[in-house]
Amino acid sequence: MLERLAQIEQKALAALQFVQEEATLEAWRVAHLGRSSPLMTVFDGLGALPKEERPAIGKRANEVKKLLETALGERSETLRQAALKRSLEQEQLDVTLPGRPFPLGRLHPTTQTLREMFRVFGEMGFQVYRSREVETDEYNFQLLNFPPDHPARDMQDTFFIKSDDERGDNPLILRTHTSPGQIRAMREYSAANPDNPPPVRIILPGMCFRYEEVNARKDIQFNQLEVLAVGRGITFGDLKGTIADFARRMFGQNVRTRFRASYFPFTEPSAEVDVECFLCGGQGCPVCKGSGWLEIMGCGMVHPVVLRNGGYDPEKYSGFAAGIGPERVTMLRHHIEDIRYFWVNDLRFLEQF
Ligand code: DAH
């Protein structure tokens, strides 16, 4: 029996030499130290041995068991160390490699332009006033002195909100310009003190929508920045000065501006403002259609009817207003040739700003 124990020991140790990974090590443990291993059968058979042989055999069997357990522990540690060494060699980190760039979000080019306009007008004392995108025909047209048959009211230009057919001659629409905010703001300001309404110095930014044929210069959605100043003794000179100052701050000290007489129902007199084309320096090029000038806004003195609709007595108060196209301005500054790029969410375009 002692010989058999020596064999068991030898065989087990020999087998252990071949074990190269943790999984086989467990198989080895089951085979040589497990419940039904040869060594355990020796323990199981102790009781059947003659009484005088039992102590020696039992002692030796315990020794073999301890020895195998120790060998198992050592082998396990060796394997663990080897695995660690391997992984340290193979999975080396090269800390000198350049990092992977993290994709960063950024502001939409129109938002950047709008924020710059907020800054420029902010320095002149104007505050941002937010007005709604879904408007009524009344605010978008009627209160702004649009005659009932004005071509801009045509179905072609306006998106109607479908569910509102029953509103008759005051349907809900998507605003076609930011000008209805003039009425909303003036009414809010004057409601606080109808007899002596406070002066107004605001800019009204936001999306506008028109049912238009889309092309390089026109899209069905675009931003506007409305400017409105109302108070006592405001003149066309104030409008000109403010706009010229805005253009200089926005486009550079030396930029030239030009006012052209125009027509809008809600201003009288009305004008359109051109800036010198900075692509060609005023020489004339395809972008400015050979004229040397680029139109950036409409403006004028607030029409007496509009002032009255806003709660300001036109006998006592006057004001000027303007509507600027931020996408238009962005196109000029960055030489963008097609307005459709702005709202198709193409990262190749957006990532350039
Ligand atoms: N609302 C006009 C448009 O969308 C732009 C405009 C022109 C706004 C003159 C004004 C203004 O405030 O005075 O075409």
Side-chain angles (χ1 to χ4, degrees), residues 176-177 179 182 210 224 226-227 264 266-267 298-300 321-323:
T176 59
H177 52 175
S179 305
Q182 289 189 23
R210 286 189 199 174
Q224 276 192 348
E226 190 84 10
V227 184
F264 299 103
F266 38 90
T267 44
C299 61

PDB file of all heavy atoms in Angstrom, residues 176-177 179 182 210 224 226-227 264 266-267 298-300 321-323, ligand 1:
ATOM      1  N   THR A 176     -44.288  84.455 -40.688  1.00  0.00           N
ATOM      2  CA  THR A 176     -43.499  84.595 -41.917  1.00  0.00           C
ATOM      3  C   THR A 176     -42.366  85.590 -41.718  1.00  0.00           C
ATOM      4  O   THR A 176     -41.503  85.732 -42.575  1.00  0.00           O
ATOM      5  CB  THR A 176     -44.383  85.071 -43.078  1.00  0.00           C
ATOM      6  OG1 THR A 176     -44.967  86.336 -42.721  1.00  0.00           O
ATOM      7  CG2 THR A 176     -45.499  84.071 -43.352  1.00  0.00           C
ATOM      8  N   HIS A 177     -42.395  86.301 -40.588  1.00  0.00           N
ATOM      9  CA  HIS A 177     -41.327  87.235 -40.236  1.00  0.00           C
ATOM     10  C   HIS A 177     -41.394  87.486 -38.733  1.00  0.00           C
ATOM     11  O   HIS A 177     -42.347  87.059 -38.069  1.00  0.00           O
ATOM     12  CB  HIS A 177     -41.425  88.547 -41.027  1.00  0.00           C
ATOM     13  CG  HIS A 177     -42.771  89.228 -40.981  1.00  0.00           C
ATOM     14  ND1 HIS A 177     -43.020  90.442 -41.537  1.00  0.00           N
ATOM     15  CD2 HIS A 177     -43.961  88.847 -40.415  1.00  0.00           C
ATOM     16  CE1 HIS A 177     -44.286  90.799 -41.338  1.00  0.00           C
ATOM     17  NE2 HIS A 177     -44.869  89.840 -40.665  1.00  0.00           N
ATOM     18  N   SER A 179     -41.623  90.375 -37.364  1.00  0.00           N
ATOM     19  CA  SER A 179     -42.300  91.650 -37.076  1.00  0.00           C
ATOM     20  C   SER A 179     -43.529  91.551 -36.158  1.00  0.00           C
ATOM     21  O   SER A 179     -43.786  92.491 -35.400  1.00  0.00           O
ATOM     22  CB  SER A 179     -42.660  92.342 -38.394  1.00  0.00           C
ATOM     23  OG  SER A 179     -41.510  92.501 -39.197  1.00  0.00           O
ATOM     24  N   GLN A 182     -43.166  92.739 -32.724  1.00  0.00           N
ATOM     25  CA  GLN A 182     -43.221  94.181 -32.415  1.00  0.00           C
ATOM     26  C   GLN A 182     -44.507  94.508 -31.671  1.00  0.00           C
ATOM     27  O   GLN A 182     -44.505  95.216 -30.659  1.00  0.00           O
ATOM     28  CB  GLN A 182     -43.206  95.013 -33.708  1.00  0.00           C
ATOM     29  CG  GLN A 182     -41.894  95.028 -34.466  1.00  0.00           C
ATOM     30  CD  GLN A 182     -41.943  96.061 -35.597  1.00  0.00           C
ATOM     31  OE1 GLN A 182     -42.727  97.023 -35.554  1.00  0.00           O
ATOM     32  NE2 GLN A 182     -41.094  95.868 -36.596  1.00  0.00           N
ATOM     33  N   ARG A 210     -41.687  80.271 -44.553  1.00  0.00           N
ATOM     34  CA  ARG A 210     -42.447  80.712 -45.736  1.00  0.00           C
ATOM     35  C   ARG A 210     -42.612  79.560 -46.706  1.00  0.00           C
ATOM     36  O   ARG A 210     -41.687  78.777 -46.907  1.00  0.00           O
ATOM     37  CB  ARG A 210     -41.727  81.871 -46.427  1.00  0.00           C
ATOM     38  CG  ARG A 210     -41.882  83.147 -45.629  1.00  0.00           C
ATOM     39  CD  ARG A 210     -41.377  84.348 -46.388  1.00  0.00           C
ATOM     40  NE  ARG A 210     -41.140  85.427 -45.427  1.00  0.00           N
ATOM     41  CZ  ARG A 210     -40.603  86.579 -45.712  1.00  0.00           C
ATOM     42  NH1 ARG A 210     -40.234  86.835 -46.961  1.00  0.00           N
ATOM     43  NH2 ARG A 210     -40.414  87.486 -44.788  1.00  0.00           N
ATOM     44  N   GLN A 224     -34.664  85.516 -38.469  1.00  0.00           N
ATOM     45  CA  GLN A 224     -34.620  86.964 -38.617  1.00  0.00           C
ATOM     46  C   GLN A 224     -34.231  87.551 -37.279  1.00  0.00           C
ATOM     47  O   GLN A 224     -34.440  86.931 -36.228  1.00  0.00           O
ATOM     48  CB  GLN A 224     -35.990  87.527 -39.022  1.00  0.00           C
ATOM     49  CG  GLN A 224     -36.250  87.462 -40.513  1.00  0.00           C
ATOM     50  CD  GLN A 224     -37.457  88.281 -40.938  1.00  0.00           C
ATOM     51  OE1 GLN A 224     -38.246  88.740 -40.105  1.00  0.00           O
ATOM     52  NE2 GLN A 224     -37.606  88.468 -42.230  1.00  0.00           N
ATOM     53  N   GLU A 226     -35.264  90.964 -35.575  1.00  0.00           N
ATOM     54  CA  GLU A 226     -36.059  92.186 -35.648  1.00  0.00           C
ATOM     55  C   GLU A 226     -35.463  93.187 -34.666  1.00  0.00           C
ATOM     56  O   GLU A 226     -35.052  92.803 -33.567  1.00  0.00           O
ATOM     57  CB  GLU A 226     -37.501  91.845 -35.234  1.00  0.00           C
ATOM     58  CG  GLU A 226     -38.500  92.922 -35.478  1.00  0.00           C
ATOM     59  CD  GLU A 226     -39.019  92.884 -36.935  1.00  0.00           C
ATOM     60  OE1 GLU A 226     -38.731  91.909 -37.641  1.00  0.00           O
ATOM     61  OE2 GLU A 226     -39.691  93.841 -37.333  1.00  0.00           O
ATOM     62  N   VAL A 227     -35.406  94.437 -35.069  1.00  0.00           N
ATOM     63  CA  VAL A 227     -34.916  95.494 -34.171  1.00  0.00           C
ATOM     64  C   VAL A 227     -36.059  96.481 -33.983  1.00  0.00           C
ATOM     65  O   VAL A 227     -36.730  96.833 -34.953  1.00  0.00           O
ATOM     66  CB  VAL A 227     -33.701  96.236 -34.780  1.00  0.00           C
ATOM     67  CG1 VAL A 227     -33.140  97.254 -33.798  1.00  0.00           C
ATOM     68  CG2 VAL A 227     -32.631  95.248 -35.217  1.00  0.00           C
ATOM     69  N   PHE A 264     -42.508  98.797 -47.084  1.00  0.00           N
ATOM     70  CA  PHE A 264     -43.077  97.759 -46.220  1.00  0.00           C
ATOM     71  C   PHE A 264     -44.354  98.340 -45.636  1.00  0.00           C
ATOM     72  O   PHE A 264     -44.399  99.544 -45.326  1.00  0.00           O
ATOM     73  CB  PHE A 264     -42.113  97.384 -45.082  1.00  0.00           C
ATOM     74  CG  PHE A 264     -40.802  96.831 -45.571  1.00  0.00           C
ATOM     75  CD1 PHE A 264     -39.656  97.627 -45.570  1.00  0.00           C
ATOM     76  CD2 PHE A 264     -40.703  95.524 -46.039  1.00  0.00           C
ATOM     77  CE1 PHE A 264     -38.450  97.129 -46.031  1.00  0.00           C
ATOM     78  CE2 PHE A 264     -39.495  95.016 -46.504  1.00  0.00           C
ATOM     79  CZ  PHE A 264     -38.363  95.817 -46.502  1.00  0.00           C
ATOM     80  N   PHE A 266     -45.590  98.128 -42.776  1.00  0.00           N
ATOM     81  CA  PHE A 266     -45.528  98.482 -41.348  1.00  0.00           C
ATOM     82  C   PHE A 266     -44.505  99.572 -41.048  1.00  0.00           C
ATOM     83  O   PHE A 266     -44.260  99.897 -39.884  1.00  0.00           O
ATOM     84  CB  PHE A 266     -45.241  97.235 -40.507  1.00  0.00           C
ATOM     85  CG  PHE A 266     -44.264  96.299 -41.158  1.00  0.00           C
ATOM     86  CD1 PHE A 266     -42.899  96.430 -40.939  1.00  0.00           C
ATOM     87  CD2 PHE A 266     -44.714  95.297 -42.010  1.00  0.00           C
ATOM     88  CE1 PHE A 266     -42.006  95.573 -41.556  1.00  0.00           C
ATOM     89  CE2 PHE A 266     -43.814  94.443 -42.632  1.00  0.00           C
ATOM     90  CZ  PHE A 266     -42.470  94.574 -42.408  1.00  0.00           C
ATOM     91  N   THR A 267     -43.845 100.135 -42.085  1.00  0.00           N
ATOM     92  CA  THR A 267     -42.928 101.251 -41.855  1.00  0.00           C
ATOM     93  C   THR A 267     -43.190 102.347 -42.883  1.00  0.00           C
ATOM     94  O   THR A 267     -43.597 102.082 -44.008  1.00  0.00           O
ATOM     95  CB  THR A 267     -41.451 100.802 -41.969  1.00  0.00           C
ATOM     96  OG1 THR A 267     -41.303  99.960 -43.116  1.00  0.00           O
ATOM     97  CG2 THR A 267     -40.986 100.064 -40.737  1.00  0.00           C
ATOM     98  N   GLY A 298     -34.219  95.011 -44.169  1.00  0.00           N
ATOM     99  CA  GLY A 298     -35.227  96.022 -44.438  1.00  0.00           C
ATOM    100  C   GLY A 298     -35.401  96.827 -43.164  1.00  0.00           C
ATOM    101  O   GLY A 298     -35.187  96.319 -42.064  1.00  0.00           O
ATOM    102  N   CYS A 299     -35.805  98.099 -43.297  1.00  0.00           N
ATOM    103  CA  CYS A 299     -35.979  98.898 -42.084  1.00  0.00           C
ATOM    104  C   CYS A 299     -36.867 100.099 -42.384  1.00  0.00           C
ATOM    105  O   CYS A 299     -37.322 100.287 -43.515  1.00  0.00           O
ATOM    106  CB  CYS A 299     -34.624  99.365 -41.542  1.00  0.00           C
ATOM    107  SG  CYS A 299     -33.712 100.397 -42.707  1.00  0.00           S
ATOM    108  N   GLY A 300     -37.126 100.876 -41.379  1.00  0.00           N
ATOM    109  CA  GLY A 300     -37.940 102.072 -41.597  1.00  0.00           C
ATOM    110  C   GLY A 300     -38.446 102.633 -40.283  1.00  0.00           C
ATOM    111  O   GLY A 300     -38.151 102.110 -39.209  1.00  0.00           O
ATOM    112  N   ALA A 321     -37.658 100.501 -36.907  1.00  0.00           N
ATOM    113  CA  ALA A 321     -37.604  99.040 -36.856  1.00  0.00           C
ATOM    114  C   ALA A 321     -36.731  98.546 -37.996  1.00  0.00           C
ATOM    115  O   ALA A 321     -36.525  99.257 -38.987  1.00  0.00           O
ATOM    116  CB  ALA A 321     -39.009  98.438 -36.976  1.00  0.00           C
ATOM    117  N   ALA A 322     -36.227  97.340 -37.836  1.00  0.00           N
ATOM    118  CA  ALA A 322     -35.438  96.725 -38.910  1.00  0.00           C
ATOM    119  C   ALA A 322     -35.583  95.219 -38.815  1.00  0.00           C
ATOM    120  O   ALA A 322     -35.896  94.680 -37.751  1.00  0.00           O
ATOM    121  CB  ALA A 322     -33.958  97.116 -38.787  1.00  0.00           C
ATOM    122  N   GLY A 323     -35.418  94.562 -39.933  1.00  0.00           N
ATOM    123  CA  GLY A 323     -35.440  93.097 -39.946  1.00  0.00           C
ATOM    124  C   GLY A 323     -34.199  92.614 -40.692  1.00  0.00           C
ATOM    125  O   GLY A 323     -34.026  92.896 -41.872  1.00  0.00           O
TER     126      GLY A 323
HETATM  127  N1  DAH B   1     -40.501  91.794 -41.898  1.00  0.00           N
HETATM  128  C1  DAH B   1     -39.801  92.113 -43.105  1.00  0.00           C
HETATM  129  C2  DAH B   1     -39.635  90.864 -43.954  1.00  0.00           C
HETATM  130  O1  DAH B   1     -39.688  89.805 -43.440  1.00  0.00           O
HETATM  131  C3  DAH B   1     -38.443  92.656 -42.804  1.00  0.00           C
HETATM  132  C4  DAH B   1     -38.520  93.996 -42.208  1.00  0.00           C
HETATM  133  C5  DAH B   1     -38.514  95.122 -43.002  1.00  0.00           C
HETATM  134  C6  DAH B   1     -38.607  94.176 -40.835  1.00  0.00           C
HETATM  135  C7  DAH B   1     -38.575  96.377 -42.487  1.00  0.00           C
HETATM  136  C8  DAH B   1     -38.706  95.447 -40.285  1.00  0.00           C
HETATM  137  C9  DAH B   1     -38.677  96.542 -41.142  1.00  0.00           C
HETATM  138  O2  DAH B   1     -38.800  95.654 -38.974  1.00  0.00           O
HETATM  139  O3  DAH B   1     -38.726  97.793 -40.600  1.00  0.00           O
HETATM  140  O4  DAH B   1     -39.451  90.981 -45.126  1.00  0.00           O
END
